[in-house]
Amino acid sequence: MDGAPETPKTGPQDRLSAALAEDMAAVNALIRARMASEHAPRIPEVTAHLIEAGGKRLRPMLTLAAARLCGYAGTDHQKLAATVEFIHTATLLHDDVVDESQRRRGRPTANLLWDNKSSVLVGDYLFARSFQLMVETGSLRVLDILANASAVIAEGEVLQLTAAQDLGTTEDTYLKVIRGKTAALFSAATEVGGVIAGVPEAQVRALYTYGDALGIAFQIADDLLDYGGSSATIGKNTGDDFRERKLTLPVIKAVAQATPEDRAFWVRTIEKGDQRDGDLEQALAIMARHGAMEAARADALRWSDTARAALTALPDHPLRDMLSDLASYVVARLS
């Protein structure tokens, strides 16, 4: 990266990445070292396919930024950042098996290139590696936070499984699902940064609140982009959530206001899975008619505001400004 003016990188994630470049280099080296396996070469093959596929490393950067923002000068935050990335990668490997996905980060999924068994078992290996790393920090509280987040992530995935294709799913249930599948790791990532830095409890709580609200805004935005983003932006095919019959927020809002004719459409396409040519376009038309997309976007903006407000309890620092900009950016993608 030479900083040439014709290709400026000015997004908040790019600025965070630049500010944390030294830490991230250490985290990446740690990831490469810990994903190695002396006896099972398929483990680093599968892991490298996903980890080196151009992911933005957002979650580990949140841990590094939180720790540095709080004045931490040691290196344990690097182990925690690698831990967070391993947990995230493990959940992606498992998710792609559950969802029978074929694309992740714009590339074929590991389960497609290898098989479901390899994806599940390598995911298990990465979970085990993550616990080895977090134990090395010697902090029982850090272990408690990340172990709890791992349990909440699994709980959210199971809840999503049981709520899938159920048109009775409420916004409250949706919030529980996305708190599990996305926000739990965001909030754990920021919270452990404050804990490792030893800051006052009010600041640790503020970091938790920031991560939680950021994760919720991020997931709502992702769910909206599935109905209106480009494949390059979201790393999968647009409309995948509809084809996979997932009840995300815009659909839940549309179902809540459905006419009898609308409801019959949702029953056929989501509950029964009888999807035909033109159904995605009809789904978009129904959501537009009820203002479901705009209502979901307003929810995402509110969570973004909550994340930025939480940062006011933290020290004045350039990283704090970058985290605030990040909270704005995750919903600005919807413009």
Side-chain angles (χ1 to χ4, degrees):
M1 188 168 65
D2 59 9
E6 63 270 25
T7 55
K9 285 196 167 188
T10 56
Q13 284 186 224
D14 299 308
R15 292 196 292 276
L16 261 182
S17 183
L20 300 166
E22 192 175 328
D23 276 334
M24 276 308 301
V27 171
N28 288 332
L30 197 54
I31 286 170
R32 282 191 293 271
R34 297 302 180 96
M35 73 184 193
S37 169
E38 182 183 350
H39 305 294
R42 180 162 295 185
I43 289 172
E45 286 175 12
V46 174
T47 306
H49 172 73
L50 189 51
I51 283 185
E52 295 174 7
K56 297 179 180 65
R57 297 280 207 277
L58 176 57
R59 291 153 188 82
M61 280 200 292
L62 290 175
T63 298
L64 298 174
R68 291 299 191 206
L69 167 59
C70 293
Y72 183 66
T75 58
D76 278 348
H77 67 317
Q78 295 167 358
K79 289 182 177 178
L80 294 178
T83 294
V84 165
E85 184 66 4
F86 274 160
I87 292 172
H88 178 53
T89 305
T91 61
L92 295 185
L93 286 167
H94 288 169
D95 284 356
D96 286 342
V97 171
V98 171
D99 294 340
E100 299 179 355
S101 300
Q102 298 189 345
R103 284 186 76 200
R104 169 74 66 181
R105 295 173 177 167
R107 302 173 72 186
T109 54
N111 51 301
L112 191 66
L113 291 179
W114 285 275
D115 50 49
N116 285 341
K117 293 175 184 177
S118 295
S119 290
V120 170
L121 293 173
V122 172
D124 292 346
Y125 178 83
L126 294 181
F127 268 124
R129 276 299 201 213
S130 73
F131 278 89
Q132 288 176 326
L133 274 166
M134 68 179 89
V135 166
E136 288 175 22
T137 66
S139 169
L140 191 59
R141 184 170 180 193
V142 159
L143 182 60
D144 179 58
I145 291 166
L146 288 166
N148 181 65
S150 299
V152 171
I153 290 166
E155 187 178 37
E157 291 293 348
V158 175
L159 178 59
Q160 180 172 266
L161 203 61
T162 56
Q165 293 102 51
D166 179 2
L167 294 183
T169 297
T170 63
E171 290 190 29
D172 183 56
T173 300
Y174 168 82
L175 190 60
K176 287 188 176 76
V177 168
I178 66 170
R179 267 214 160 96
K181 66 183 285 188
T182 302
L185 195 53
F186 275 64
S187 58
T190 48
E191 188 179 9
V192 295
V195 169
I196 208 75
V199 296
E201 193 58 34
Q203 292 185 8
V204 173
R205 189 69 199 169
L207 285 165
Y208 168 86
T209 301
Y210 170 81
D212 177 63
L214 178 71
I216 293 170
F218 181 92
Q219 188 59 55
I220 293 173
D222 256 23
D223 290 346
L224 279 164
L225 284 169
D226 188 78
Y227 285 100
S230 69
S231 297
T233 302
I234 60 178
K236 59 180 182 178
N237 298 311
T238 52
D240 273 356
D241 286 349
F242 178 75
R243 284 183 285 271
E244 292 169 12
R245 302 156 64 198
K246 288 183 180 177
L247 278 162
T248 56
L249 189 59
V251 175
I252 291 169
K253 286 182 179 293
V255 168
Q257 302 179 71
T259 64
E261 185 182 355
D262 292 341
R263 187 165 185 86
F265 171 81
W266 295 122
V267 167
R268 174 173 66 79
T269 58
I270 301 296
E271 281 196 351
K272 296 182 178 177
D274 175 13
Q275 295 188 7
R276 306 163 190 169
D277 287 346
D279 279 348
L280 175 59
E281 290 72 21
Q282 187 174 343
L284 287 166
I286 292 171
M287 287 188 280
R289 192 166 70 246
H290 294 299
M293 302 282 280
E294 278 306 307
R297 184 175 180 273
D299 286 358
L301 288 166
R302 280 193 291 273
W303 284 107
S304 171
D305 289 344
T306 298
R308 286 186 290 112
L311 292 172
T312 59
L314 296 160
D316 188 16
H317 192 286
L319 284 169
R320 189 183 78 172
D321 297 337
M322 292 178 207
L323 291 175
S324 180
D325 290 345
L326 181 65
S328 299
Y329 172 73
V330 297
V331 289
R333 298 178 299 159
L334 301 173
S335 300

